[in-house]
């Protein structure tokens, strides 16, 4: 096969090598604009895992690379006068120039022709004269731009400014992050050794800080002098160096995230940075480039035709690229939003930094550095005023709100059961909530319980508007308090425009087939074209419903609930005021966010006045309507939380969506947790996170990184009322209390968990 690789970076060279290894008869030329030994950039990082992949492809070049590696296991973080070190991270660095020289040597050895100082302007001629053309011309690929209508690239230029420098100062004991506060804001460095006397020193900051320093107007030398001054105390008198002479001005850039819709066109294939980029903070660009080169070479030899190989290449590599780009996005967003985390204690800041890409879980950190993680866990327990003599995972730390202390951080999220009769909870509810309280969660939140018959969502919804309701709930709360050490929270709500609809397992949110009742909302906007047109509430309606909330609150107190939650989420009545999608009022209750919050806050204040001072109140909100800027977006949710906090709300339960049939949620593991993170760390308010959180590992990492104070699990508690006790048994935590009649079952479970653990470590 006659092949041209346009661009002699890691992608082009390693593809040429991989092809020759599979068939020495291939005729391959690599074209490169630079000379063999001039290159921008300093060192690159590769992980142990990547090196193992390279070894499997070509042991010779992998060994040559390995011999030039600088290894380090530690990550050191300089922050607020402390240097915190954790270990077990297993990275290696190599000079980019060294890597390219090794790859060039290996390519020559295998008979690849290398044509340096050759600028390529177009792929067209090559496509005619070669069987295959690899567009490996990097981030600013001319070939990708030439064929942009075919490849359809999407480029997302990110917010931070960065510059890639080098230094002879030693950073040979750890990959080092340095966070410095300056007169113009925070600026930070990612530093790592890559040969015996040189380290990479990437400096990054927000655009605002960069502007204030005036970097835009500086020459390269002035910019370096400024950076040397900022980081002087870490440089030990050594200077910073640039080799980005090819870049104009001071060498600072914004990172562009590139992803192409198509990776091949006729016989031209994109590879490496030309096809997709991954932010340098997860150090995966070279890995992606080289692993894609191996995959393409493989498929060209395993598939029946070149087009079939291209299809397989795109299918297989795209998912890997998306996975890494998603981790890279989490990581770069952490740096972009760093202001949010700069109030954190150094221990928590460090944890948040290490887990920023969400690829490293809590238990994975334990495998890397048990002592460090246990130190962090002990810090968490101390902060939680735990009196446990043992180090325990964050999920088992107590949490206090007003006079209520929860034994742990797990909440049974409110879940409608649709089993009430005329609003009255039944034996179903006693058994259902009783079981979940026995199951170990610190807090059991009951389903949305409605303040009036018309305020119910469905005929099966529970209420607190009749004396019988109060007595039935009291029976449940008494059981929880007598038989367990869980607390119980009453979620109060009014259905609004989503009321008078069918049971959850029938046609959800659709009007009743018969017996509908009139519904209210902020404005006359039906939930969907099939639902009733609600009446827009007038002042009398607002007073009446507010008073119904107050009456229900009094009943909840007498029934013995420990905590109250106002349901202001998911498109129900109070939520319908908050989101502009359902509130088009022109009075004091519509328009600005402050106006749209007015009625929910009036209800909150009225309820707070009659709810005992020692008992907390939470408010559940939808932090994202998932319709873009027309609806509530996460930054609005921060404002909402600030208003709630100012009003005296103790904790914000951060849910999202269900406010419009137009919503297009982006689902995924812990997909709503970023909203809780943002509220907790920007508004400084206690939060509960919820949404597709199902592993103890998720819970522990959310809590330890300071992304929420409590974690709600809904569906996992439908599947397993004993989720918390089972998690504790599996994790080897023996501090959770089981009901006395179940002790023999507990002991057996512990023994089984221990022998499973021993077997797992012995195989
Ligand atoms: C600050 C920073 C730090 C990074 N750190 C890491 C890291 O730690 N680990 C990691 O894995 N990755 C890192 N990367 C990313 C990494 O450098 C790239 O992802 C990797 O080099 C991609 O390889 P490539 O062959 O696709 O592209 P490149 O390495 O960019 O190679 C493309 C080659 O094509 C040549 N070329 C371009 N246009 C033409 C033309 N018209 N004619 C002829 N030749 C041309 C270029 O000169 C270049 O040699 C970092 C990137 C940045 C910006
Ligand atoms: C059957 C069911 C009923 C629900 N009912 C309520 C409810 O009454 N009040 C409420 O705020 N959320 C309700 N939710 C939403 C959950 O509390 C939770 O926010 C959502 O299910 C996401 O959490 P998960 O991924 O752990 O299930 C309900 C969820 C389910 C599955």
């Amino acid at each position: 096969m006659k092949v041209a690789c346009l661009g002699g970076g890691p992608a082009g060279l390693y593809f040429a090598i991989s092809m020759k290894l599979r068939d020495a008869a291939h005729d391959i030329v690599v074209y490169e604009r630079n000379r063999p030994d001039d290159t921008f950039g300093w060192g690159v990082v590769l992980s142990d895992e990547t090196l193992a992949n390279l070894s499997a492809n070509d042991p010779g070049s992998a060994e040559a690379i390995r011999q030039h590696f600088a290894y380090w296991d530690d990550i050191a973080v300089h922050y607020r006068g402390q240097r915190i070190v954790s270990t077990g991270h297993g990275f290696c660095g190599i000079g980019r120039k060294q890597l390219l020289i090794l790859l060039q040597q290996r390519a020559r050895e295998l008979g690849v022709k290398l044509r340096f100082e050759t600028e390529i302007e177009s792929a067209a001629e090559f496509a005619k004269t070669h069987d295959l053309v690899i567009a490996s011309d990097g981030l600013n690929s001319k070939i990708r731009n030439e064929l942009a209508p075919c490849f359809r690239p999407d480029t997302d230029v990110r917010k931070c400014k960065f510059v890639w420098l080098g230094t002879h100062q030693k950073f040979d004991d750890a990959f080092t992050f340095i966070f410095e506060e300056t007169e113009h804001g925070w600026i930070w460095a990612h530093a790592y050794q890559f040969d015996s006397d040189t380290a990479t020193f990437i400096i990054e900051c927000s655009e605002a800080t960069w502007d204030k320093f005036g970097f835009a107007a500086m020459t390269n030398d002035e910019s370096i002098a400024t950076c040397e001054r900022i980081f002087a105390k870490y440089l030990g008198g050594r200077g910073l160096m640039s080799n980005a002479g090819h870049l104009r001005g001071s060498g600072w850039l914004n990172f562009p995230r590139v992803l192409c819709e198509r990776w091949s066109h006729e016989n031209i294939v994109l590879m490496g940075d030309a096809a997709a980029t991954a932010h340098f903070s997860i150090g995966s660009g070279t890995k992606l480039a080289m692993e894609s080169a191996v995959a393409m070479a493989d498929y060209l030899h395993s598939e029946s035709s070149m087009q079939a190989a291209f299809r397989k290449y795109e299918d297989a590599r795209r998912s890997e690229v998306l996975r890494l780009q998603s981790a890279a996005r989490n990581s770069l967003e952490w740096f972009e939003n760093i202001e949010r985390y700069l109030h954190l204690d150094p221990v928590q800041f460090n944890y948040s930094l290490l887990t920023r890409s969400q690829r490293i879980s809590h238990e994975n950190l334990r495998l890397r550095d048990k002592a460090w993680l246990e130190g962090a866990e002990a810090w968490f327990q101390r902060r939680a005023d735990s009196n446990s003599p043992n180090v325990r995972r964050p999920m088992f730390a107590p949490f206090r709100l007003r006079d209520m202390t929860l034994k742990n951080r797990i909440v049974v999220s409110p879940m409608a059961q649709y089993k009430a009769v005329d609003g009255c909870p039944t034996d179903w509810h006693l058994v259902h909530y009783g079981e979940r309280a026995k199951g170990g969660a610190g807090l059991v939140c009951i389903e949305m319980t409605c303040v009036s018959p018309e305020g119910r969502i469905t005929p099966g919804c529970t209420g607190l508007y009749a004396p019988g309701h109060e007595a039935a709930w009291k029976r449940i709360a008494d059981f929880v308090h007598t038989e367990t050490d869980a607390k119980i929270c009453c979620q109060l709500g009014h259905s609004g425009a989503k009321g008078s609809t069918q049971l959850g397992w029938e046609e959800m949110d659709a009007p009743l087939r018969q017996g509908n009742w009139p519904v209210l909302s902020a404005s006359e906007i039906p939930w969907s074209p099939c639902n009733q047109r609600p009446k827009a509430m007038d002042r009398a309606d607002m007073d009446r419903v507010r008073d119904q909330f107050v009456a229900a609150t009094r009943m909840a107190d007498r029934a013995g609930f420990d905590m109250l939650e106002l349901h202001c989420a998911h498109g129900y009545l109070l939520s319908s005021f908050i989101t502009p999608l359902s509130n088009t009022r022109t009075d004091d209750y519509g328009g600005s966010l402050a106006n749209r919050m007015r009625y929910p806050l009036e209800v909150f204040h009225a309820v707070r006045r009659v709810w005992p001072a020692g008992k907390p109140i939470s408010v559940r909100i939808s932090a994202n309507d998932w319709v873009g800027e027309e609806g509530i977006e996460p930054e609005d949710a921060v404002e909402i939380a600030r208003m709630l906090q100012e009003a005296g709300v103790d904790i914000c339960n951060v849910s999202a969506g269900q406010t419009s049939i137009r919503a297009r949620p982006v689902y995924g593991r812990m997909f709503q947790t970023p909203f809780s993170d943002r509220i907790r760390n920007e508004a400084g308010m206690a939060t509960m996170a919820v949404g597709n959180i199902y592993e103890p590992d998720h819970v522990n990492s959310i809590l330890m990184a300071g992304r929420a104070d409590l974690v709600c699990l809904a569906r996992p508690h439908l599947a397993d009322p004993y989720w918390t006790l089972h998690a504790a048994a599996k994790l080897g935590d023996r501090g959770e209390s089981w009901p006395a009649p179940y002790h023999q079952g507990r002991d057996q479970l512990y023994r089984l968990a221990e022998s499973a653990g021993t077997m797992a470590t012995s195989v």
Side-chain angles (χ1 to χ4, degrees):
M1 191 182 264
K2 193 173 175 205
V3 184
C5 296
L6 309 182
L13 288 170
Y14 206 60
F15 176 73
I17 292 169
S18 304
M19 286 294 280
K20 278 288 200 182
L21 285 168
R22 281 158 183 76
D23 185 346
H26 291 311
D27 173 10
I28 308 179
V29 186
V30 176
Y31 295 89
E32 166 60 45
R33 61 151 70 112
N34 289 332
R35 286 171 303 186
D37 58 354
D38 58 19
T39 174
F40 72 94
W42 298 91
V44 292
V45 185
L46 296 169
S47 67
D48 285 346
E49 181 205 349
T50 305
L51 201 59
N53 294 342
L54 300 185
S55 270
N57 182 56
D58 181 23
S61 61
E63 189 45 39
I65 294 170
R66 197 189 300 275
Q67 280 171 10
H68 287 86
F69 263 146
Y71 277 96
W72 65 93
D73 235 10
D74 295 358
I75 294 183
V77 180
H78 292 264
Y79 170 66
R80 294 198 186 278
Q82 289 194 30
R83 179 177 188 264
I84 297 189
V85 180
S86 58
T87 194
H89 302 291
F91 286 107
C92 16
I94 183 168
R96 179 179 156 91
K97 191 189 247 180
Q98 184 62 57
L99 175 69
L100 291 180
I101 288 171
L102 292 174
L103 295 180
Q104 289 164 12
Q105 274 167 3
R106 181 67 174 141
R108 270 195 212 99
E109 216 174 274
L110 292 166
V112 175
K113 287 166 227 145
L114 304 178
R115 301 273 179 274
F116 291 100
E117 298 179 72
T118 311
E119 178 76 35
I120 306 296
E121 297 298 342
S122 160
E125 275 311 308
F126 292 93
K128 283 188 213 145
T129 51
H130 293 72
D131 300 312
L132 173 64
V133 178
I134 300 292
S136 49
D137 52 347
L139 178 60
N140 298 313
S141 169
K142 277 190 184 167
I143 314 301
R144 183 184 69 220
N145 295 344
E146 178 188 20
L147 295 169
C150 310
F151 295 131
R152 294 194 286 275
D154 171 48
T155 303
D156 178 13
V157 179
R158 302 305 310 196
K159 289 191 227 163
C160 283
K161 287 282 182 186
F162 76 93
V163 61
W164 199 355
L165 302 174
T167 178
H168 291 309
Q169 167 67 333
K170 289 254 186 276
F171 289 96
D172 53 357
D173 56 347
F175 188 111
T176 302
F177 289 105
I178 303 167
F179 296 87
E180 266 303 284
E181 191 169 16
T182 71
E183 66 275 30
H184 298 311
W186 286 81
I187 184 161
W188 53 95
H190 314 233
Y192 50 93
Q193 201 73 26
F194 65 84
D195 65 27
S196 56
D197 67 349
T198 330
T200 298
F201 202 87
I202 303 169
I203 301 177
E204 203 181 5
C205 64
S206 71
E207 188 117 20
T209 298
W210 188 78
D211 277 341
K212 284 189 208 147
F213 270 110
F215 281 120
M218 288 184 200
T219 61
N220 208 349
D221 289 347
E222 288 164 344
S223 160
I224 285 181
T226 308
C227 293
E228 283 171 345
R229 184 176 54 73
I230 297 169
F231 291 100
K233 64 173 179 273
Y234 306 96
L235 291 173
R238 297 194 173 76
L240 292 170
M241 306 174 283
S242 163
N243 60 7
H246 62 293
L247 297 175
R248 276 192 304 270
S250 55
W252 288 80
L253 300 167
N254 289 72
F255 185 84
R257 197 279 289 129
V258 174
L259 184 63
C260 294
E261 251 179 62
R262 294 281 320 269
W263 293 8
S264 64
H265 170 67
E266 295 172 353
N267 61 343
I268 305 170
V269 182
L270 293 174
M271 192 171 285
D273 274 8
T277 58
H279 191 249
F280 55 84
S281 63
I282 64 160
S284 295
T286 307
K287 164 197 165 74
L288 273 183
M290 294 174 80
E291 289 179 353
S292 292
V294 176
M296 186 76 241
D298 261 346
Y299 300 145
L300 284 167
H301 292 87
S302 66
E303 298 308 298
S304 54
S305 69
M306 213 160 73
Q307 290 307 323
F310 291 175
R311 271 196 303 279
K312 191 137 187 214
Y313 167 71
E314 236 184 275
D315 285 355
R317 293 307 297 165
R318 183 179 292 278
S319 53
E320 175 65 5
V321 161
L322 289 177
R323 203 176 58 77
L324 274 174
Q325 283 196 335
S326 156
R329 192 189 55 241
N330 293 337
S331 174
L332 70 86
E333 283 181 354
W334 190 91
F335 286 105
E336 285 179 353
N337 297 307
I338 202 158
E339 303 281 328
R340 195 183 288 163
Y341 306 107
L342 289 166
H343 67 284
L344 294 177
D345 180 280
V347 174
Q348 195 158 44
F349 182 82
N350 205 44
Y351 184 97
S352 177
L353 170 66
L354 292 178
T355 54
R356 69 190 183 280
S357 72
Q358 291 182 29
R359 286 189 303 179
I360 302 177
S361 72
H362 193 75
E363 295 309 320
N364 186 271
L365 271 179
R366 195 182 312 280
L367 292 178
R368 291 172 184 230
D369 191 345
K370 187 163 184 274
W372 178 83
L373 187 69
E374 286 186 356
E377 289 179 333
W379 169 87
F380 192 90
Q381 295 286 343
R382 278 196 305 280
R383 283 262 298 228
D385 280 337
S386 161
N387 47 22
S388 163
N390 303 321
V391 175
R392 302 186 69 195
R393 286 169 178 81
M395 64 189 274
F396 302 119
F399 185 66
R400 191 184 160 104
L401 281 172
R402 297 198 181 219
D403 292 347
M404 181 187 79
T405 301
L406 303 177
K407 63 180 170 178
N408 62 40
R409 305 295 180 107
I410 304 297
V411 179
V412 176
S413 200
M415 278 179 289
Q417 296 297 298
Y418 311 105
K419 296 286 276 182
V421 177
D422 292 332
C424 196
T426 62
D427 284 355
W428 173 271
H429 299 88
L430 175 68
V431 174
H432 172 75
Y433 292 116
E435 276 301 287
R436 271 122 201 108
K438 285 194 293 177
L443 182 67
V444 176
C445 191
I446 64 159
E447 64 205 87
M448 174 166 132
T449 292
C450 309
V451 297
S452 65
E454 319 75 55
R456 289 175 303 162
I457 310 167
T458 74
C461 287
T462 52
L464 256 176
Y465 49 82
H469 299 171
E470 182 182 320
W473 281 120
K474 184 167 189 316
R475 183 166 169 244
I476 293 167
D478 283 350
F479 175 87
V480 169
H481 291 139
T482 313
E483 301 295 350
T484 80
D485 49 8
K487 303 289 180 200
I488 182 159
C489 172
C490 175
Q491 187 186 59
L492 283 183
H494 186 298
S495 54
K498 290 171 90 174
S500 188
T501 53
Q502 299 179 34
L503 305 188
W505 51 80
E506 296 172 348
E507 213 182 320
M508 199 168 176
D509 294 332
L512 294 171
R513 294 201 179 93
Q514 55 193 28
N516 282 295
W517 59 82
V519 297
L520 293 172
S521 192
S523 300
E524 280 186 20
I525 301 174
W527 168 247
S528 81
C530 313
N531 291 72
Q532 290 183 58
R533 178 166 288 274
K535 178 188 172 204
M537 289 173 87
D538 57 24
R539 187 65 249 176
D541 295 321
M542 288 160 101
D543 290 348
R544 189 180 64 258
V545 171
R546 179 201 59 210
D547 293 347
Q548 288 167 345
F549 269 97
V550 169
T553 300
R554 290 185 202 276
M555 288 190 199
D557 178 37
R558 290 194 297 266
F561 284 100
D562 303 291
M563 176 173 169
L564 199 72
E565 175 162 287
L566 275 193
H567 198 339
C568 296
H570 302 171
Y572 299 114
L573 185 76
L574 298 179
S575 158
S576 76
F577 277 85
I578 300 174
T579 166
L581 302 175
S582 48
N583 182 345
T584 53
R585 298 174 75 102
T586 51
D587 60 4
D588 287 350
Y589 296 87
S592 66
L593 181 61
N595 278 0
R596 287 183 274 123
M597 284 295 288
R598 197 180 301 279
Y599 185 60
L601 287 173
E602 276 178 17
V603 173
F604 168 74
H605 284 300
V607 156
R608 185 66 266 182
R609 273 193 289 278
V610 299
W611 186 244
K615 293 187 185 184
I617 302 187
S618 83
V619 168
R620 183 171 247 208
I621 61 167
S622 285
N624 192 345
D625 286 334
W626 299 114
V627 299
E629 58 189 19
E630 275 179 69
I632 295 288
E633 293 194 281
E635 60 259 41
D636 304 313
V638 176
E639 282 315 302
I640 293 172
R642 287 202 174 103
M643 292 181 207
L644 295 176
Q645 192 177 29
E646 204 178 291
V649 173
D650 299 294
I651 188 165
C652 184
N653 188 341
V654 189
S655 185
Q658 298 176 55
T659 49
S660 165
I661 55 168
R662 287 163 44 209
R664 293 290 169 267
V666 182
Y667 293 114
R669 201 164 37 104
M670 305 186 272
F671 72 115
Q672 294 171 164
T673 303
F675 313 139
S676 161
D677 180 359
R678 191 156 178 185
I679 289 176
R680 186 174 188 275
N681 291 305
E682 284 185 23
M685 183 177 198
T687 60
M688 303 191 217
V690 66
N692 218 13
I693 301 166
Y694 48 87
E695 297 278 357
D697 229 20
H698 302 160
V699 176
N700 288 321
S701 63
I702 289 169
L703 295 169
M704 191 67 229
R707 308 176 84 204
D709 296 277
L710 296 175
V711 178
C712 303
L713 286 83
R715 290 165 298 168
H717 277 118
L718 291 183
D720 181 4
Y722 290 77
W723 189 91
T724 305
L725 293 182
H726 288 164
K730 216 189 280 173
L731 291 168
D733 186 285
R734 301 294 176 253
E736 292 301 289
S737 57
W738 284 62
Y742 295 178
H743 281 182
Q744 291 184 38
R746 173 199 66 186
D747 295 344
Q748 184 190 41
L749 190 64
Y750 285 176
R751 277 195 304 276
L752 290 170
E754 273 155 27
S755 63
T758 324
M759 279 168 69
T761 49
S762 65
V763 283

